[in-house]
Amino acid sequence: MISTKKVIDSKKNIEGFPFNIFSFIFLLYSSILYSQKSPIQYGITAGWNHSIYNDVNANGEKNKGDSSDEMYGGIIFEKRFSKKSAIRTALLISYTDSVTFLEFPVLYKYIFYNRFSIFLGPKIDYIIKQEWDDVYKLNNKIGFSTSFGIEYRLTNNLYIEASYSHGYTNQLDTQDSSSISAKRNLYRMGLTYFFKF
């Protein structure tokens, strides 16, 4: 028989999991940020999102869920620690239908050929606003995803990028009673402008 205390402790551990992951990412980025002599680049970024909610019904069958197109924008920071490598983070606002997300990615960037770079890393998605309607219902405010993409340097300060984010957290469900689990996957294209030092 499982004791009540063990159940409560287990629940506390699950509830604390997002905070622990966020703390780990923040400490990792901070250590890299202050351990290098190169300056931090900062700028602005904006572009287009295409969100897809893939859901699973009660029979375990996967369905292609709702999709939407929207805009995103925010501020971006990049710390170079070699000629070809950098760590990038950003604070982004992304709007999907009736839901507003605050996104915090931490990405490893590698310049693999001339003006081309690739990047990969985790992302925290936090729902800061939801308009309650007949489309979505809220499950979790905090979600986790992995982002990866490619970037091309147009000028010394202007970049164009394309990326994909795969969601792991069931943040929103459609109001369709047959849907029991839905995760947000995201395709993105945008421009980034870094200010001069």
Side-chain angles (χ1 to χ4, degrees):
M1 182 176 179
I2 301 173
S3 68
T4 304
K5 184 177 184 301
K6 287 184 178 179
V7 173
I8 294 173
D9 290 343
S10 176
K11 185 177 180 182
K12 286 181 178 179
N13 290 335
I14 293 172
E15 291 175 347
F17 179 72
F19 178 76
N20 292 336
I21 293 294
F22 179 82
S23 299
F24 173 75
I25 293 172
F26 178 78
L27 290 173
L28 176 64
Y29 180 74
S30 298
S31 64
I32 296 172
L33 193 68
Y34 292 105
S35 64
Q36 304 295 325
K37 295 181 180 180
S38 59
I40 303 171
Q41 284 186 295
Y42 64 94
I44 54 175
T45 185
W48 166 83
N49 288 331
H50 180 69
S51 297
I52 300 175
Y53 290 92
N54 294 317
D55 65 89
V56 178
N57 61 29
N59 297 322
E61 299 170 337
K62 294 182 179 180
N63 303 310
K64 186 176 181 180
D66 296 334
S67 63
S68 63
D69 295 292
E70 64 274 348
M71 302 295 290
Y72 75 93
I75 55 175
I76 190 167
F77 303 90
E78 186 171 292
K79 178 74 171 182
R80 185 72 61 85
F81 57 90
S82 75
K83 290 183 178 181
K84 290 186 173 291
S85 301
I87 290 291
R88 170 183 290 186
T89 188
L91 193 61
L92 308 173
I93 293 180
S94 174
Y95 185 75
T96 303
D97 280 349
S98 57
V99 185
T100 303
F101 290 88
L102 183 66
E103 301 179 7
F104 179 68
V106 178
L107 307 171
Y108 171 74
K109 173 182 170 181
Y110 179 74
I111 303 171
F112 69 94
Y113 178 74
N114 201 3
R115 293 172 177 259
F116 287 94
S117 305
I118 55 174
F119 53 86
L120 170 69
K123 180 164 66 76
I124 296 174
D125 307 296
Y126 182 78
I127 296 176
I128 55 177
K129 182 181 179 182
Q130 169 162 16
E131 299 170 10
W132 297 98
D133 53 25
D134 296 329
V135 181
Y136 298 115
K137 58 183 179 181
L138 178 66
N139 283 326
N140 297 294
K141 279 186 172 291
I142 298 177
F144 296 94
S145 57
T146 298
S147 298
F148 63 90
I150 188 168
E151 176 186 75
Y152 180 76
R153 179 166 57 87
L154 297 170
T155 69
N156 287 337
N157 300 89
L158 184 64
Y159 297 78
I160 186 170
E161 68 176 50
S163 64
Y164 170 75
S165 296
H166 184 80
Y168 300 105
T169 307
N170 179 19
Q171 284 185 275
L172 293 166
D173 277 348
T174 61
Q175 293 286 11
D176 184 355
S177 60
S178 64
S179 175
I180 61 171
S181 177
K183 298 176 178 64
R184 178 188 183 224
N185 297 328
L186 179 66
Y187 295 91
R188 175 170 284 170
M189 290 188 67
L191 293 171
T192 296
Y193 181 81
F194 284 105
F195 299 105
K196 293 182 178 180
F197 297 104

